[in-house]
């Protein structure tokens, strides 16, 4: 029988959206083992997100860039946590992700088979992509007994991030935000242009919203700043916040929005976890595989014969999955503000 006060270590993913979805695993673990402590090994950038999750007791930043081996950093972290944890759950399927718990000699080490890491894991699970057909299901399954995980019909707790209301007040003052109802926009998608609704469409939507009495806030990182300038150009009630806010600030400002319009991106999952109404735009990816984990989302997806292709750029050269997803249909859905439907297919 498992020790209810066991010390659990989770090797976290490297993307914003995946880290938010990992909270479903943390919630599952706390429900099964209320007295357990959870530590998370994660990139330093993710610490502000993890600190908004009450289930996480400790964040262990790993100073290794995306795609880097960073053997010395992993060895140093392993030496510092040796003897502190009873079980490790490795979410990424890469070989290097399993190194820290192996070098730390954590007795139980669980993860999916991948990249010839047989010797690094104690419990090696085969990934059935038909049963575990969503990223979040795969994460949660690793926190369950094997027989339960293999059924695939287990509960998926919805992520919920803590909101810092005092920080929100300061942010509204700092960025001179108005009292108008706010619509957030997230035009970025780290994966590639096949997941990005045209900037001209975002601008046209922002123009209509501002004319109808809304404030528009565009969120993203420094790399999204120039794109956001295209969206807010000439619109006095539109704010380009890309690169001007921390990830924790984005959590609070998104929670303050009435609705958001977003590509399938990491910030989409952040928005879902603060409860704001989401209009999620899907192109090359699938809302069945990485849906926003909320009951307050409207999915805009054409479902063309070539979709989803999961490519970074359109292999056919036209990106019709997004170019034919029209502005007016999204605008009308925002104004309607009806109870959410599972899917809106725009013809």
């Amino acid at each position: 029988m498992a020790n209810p006060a066991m010390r659990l270590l989770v090797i976290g993913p490297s993307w914003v959206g995946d880290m938010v979805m990992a909270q479903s695993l943390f919630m599952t673990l706390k429900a099964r083992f209320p007295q357990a402590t959870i530590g998370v090994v994660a990139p330093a950038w993710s610490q502000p997100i993890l600190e908004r999750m009450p289930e996480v007791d400790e964040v262990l930043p790993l100073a290794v860039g995306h795609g880097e081996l960073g053997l010395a950093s992993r060895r140093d972290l392993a030496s510092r946590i040796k003897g502190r944890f009873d079980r490790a759950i490795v979410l990424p399927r890469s070989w290097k992700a399993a190194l820290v718990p192996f070098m730390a000699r954590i007795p139980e080490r669980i993860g999916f088979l991948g990249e010839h890491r047989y010797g690094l894991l104690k419990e090696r699970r085969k990934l059935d992509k038909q049963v575990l057909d969503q990223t979040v299901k795969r994460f949660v399954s690793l926190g369950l007994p094997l027989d339960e995980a293999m059924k695939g019909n287990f509960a998926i707790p919805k992520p919920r991030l803590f909101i810092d209301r005092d920080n929100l007040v300061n942010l509204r003052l700092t960025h001179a935000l108005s009292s108008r109802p706010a619509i957030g926009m997230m035009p970025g998608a780290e994966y590639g242009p096949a997941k990005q609704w045209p900037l001209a469409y975002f601008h046209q939507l922002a123009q209509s919203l501002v004319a109808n009495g809304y404030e528009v806030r565009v969120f993203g990182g420094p790399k999204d700043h120039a794109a956001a300038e295209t969206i807010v150009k000439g619109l006095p009630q539109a704010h380009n916040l890309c690169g001007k806010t921390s990830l924790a600030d984005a959590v609070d400002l998104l929670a303050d929005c009435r609705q958001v319009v977003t590509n399938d991106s990491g910030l989409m999952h952040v928005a879902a976890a603060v409860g704001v109404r989401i209009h999620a735009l899907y192109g090359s990816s699938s809302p069945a595989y990485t849906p926003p984990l909320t009951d307050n989302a409207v999915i805009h997806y054409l479902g063309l014969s070539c979709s989803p292709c999961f490519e970074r750029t359109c292999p056919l050269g036209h990106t019709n999955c997004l170019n034919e997803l029209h502005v007016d249909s999204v605008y009308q859905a925002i104004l309607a503000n009806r109870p959410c439907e599972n899917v809106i297919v725009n013809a």
Side-chain angles (χ1 to χ4, degrees):
M1 180 178 295
N3 174 10
M6 69 169 55
R7 301 164 299 172
L8 301 168
L9 182 70
V10 177
I11 309 300
S14 299
W15 301 96
V16 174
D18 286 357
M19 190 61 78
V20 174
M21 287 188 282
Q23 190 182 14
S24 296
L25 167 63
F26 308 150
M27 296 166 84
T28 298
L29 292 171
K30 283 291 190 178
R32 291 188 65 217
F33 310 112
Q35 300 174 50
T37 58
I38 298 177
V40 181
V41 174
W45 62 258
S46 66
Q47 187 160 346
I49 286 287
L50 291 166
E51 288 175 346
R52 298 301 186 93
M53 300 180 183
E55 302 81 14
V56 176
D57 298 289
E58 182 180 10
V59 181
L60 299 157
L62 181 61
V64 175
H66 186 67
E68 293 180 11
L69 176 57
L71 188 59
S73 296
R74 295 179 196 275
R75 186 182 292 113
D76 177 66
L77 177 57
S79 67
R80 288 188 281 117
I81 65 172
K82 189 173 290 186
R84 293 188 50 209
F85 294 94
D86 306 303
R87 177 183 297 177
I89 298 173
V90 183
L91 297 186
R93 296 175 64 197
S94 66
W95 176 78
K96 59 182 179 289
L99 285 173
V100 168
F102 173 77
M103 292 188 291
R105 297 294 185 264
I106 296 174
E108 299 180 41
R109 306 186 298 276
I110 302 169
F112 291 116
L113 287 171
E115 288 196 4
H116 306 289
R117 56 186 189 172
Y118 297 95
L120 301 180
L121 300 172
K122 286 287 188 179
E123 184 179 333
R124 300 173 290 273
R125 297 188 178 183
K126 185 177 180 180
L127 174 58
D128 185 336
K129 295 183 178 181
Q130 299 301 313
V131 175
L132 302 177
D133 56 352
Q134 295 179 339
T135 298
V136 68
K137 283 186 181 180
R138 297 171 187 178
F139 289 172
V140 172
S141 74
L142 290 175
L144 300 172
L146 181 60
D147 57 346
E148 187 177 346
M150 291 297 289
K151 296 175 184 176
N153 59 352
F154 43 80
I156 306 288
K158 293 179 173 62
R160 180 61 65 183
L161 300 176
F162 169 77
I163 309 303
D164 186 336
R165 299 294 174 184
D166 291 335
N167 186 47
L168 175 58
V169 171
N170 291 331
L171 289 168
R172 289 176 63 92
L173 293 172
T174 298
H175 298 288
L177 302 177
S178 73
S179 58
R180 286 185 167 204
I183 303 293
M185 291 187 175
M186 287 87 94
E190 192 73 19
Y191 187 74
K195 291 176 69 171
Q196 297 172 335
W197 205 41
L199 292 178
Y201 290 14
F202 273 110
H203 174 74
Q204 183 182 338
L205 179 61
Q207 194 171 32
S208 297
L209 290 168
V210 168
N212 203 42
Y214 289 92
E215 175 184 77
V216 171
R217 302 173 185 174
V218 187
F219 297 92
K223 290 187 293 186
D224 301 310
H225 184 82
E229 283 297 294
T230 299
I231 297 172
V232 305
K233 186 176 181 180
L235 302 177
Q237 294 293 337
H239 302 269
N240 180 1
L241 300 176
C242 295
K244 299 179 181 178
T245 58
S246 68
L247 193 51
D249 292 340
V251 171
D252 298 327
L253 287 168
L254 282 168
D256 189 48
C257 291
R258 297 288 181 87
Q259 304 182 59
V260 301
V261 181
T262 175
N263 296 324
D264 176 16
S265 66
L267 284 178
M268 176 189 76
H269 294 285
V270 173
V274 298
V276 64
R277 183 180 179 89
I278 294 172
H279 295 269
L281 312 166
Y282 281 83
S284 67
S285 58
S286 167
Y289 180 60
T290 53
L293 300 177
T294 174
D295 295 324
N296 197 20
V298 180
I299 307 299
H300 299 263
Y301 179 60
L302 293 175
L304 302 181
S305 60
C306 55
S307 302
C309 68
F310 297 107
E311 298 291 338
R312 294 178 183 270
T313 58
C314 177
L316 302 177
H318 54 59
T319 320
N320 284 343
C321 57
L322 290 169
N323 289 333
E324 293 182 3
L325 207 168
H326 301 301
V327 174
D328 188 61
S329 62
V330 179
Y331 178 60
Q332 293 301 327
I334 292 172
L335 295 186
N337 202 24
R338 293 188 295 266
C340 289
E341 304 169 30
N342 289 330
V343 176
I344 287 184
V345 177
N346 293 270

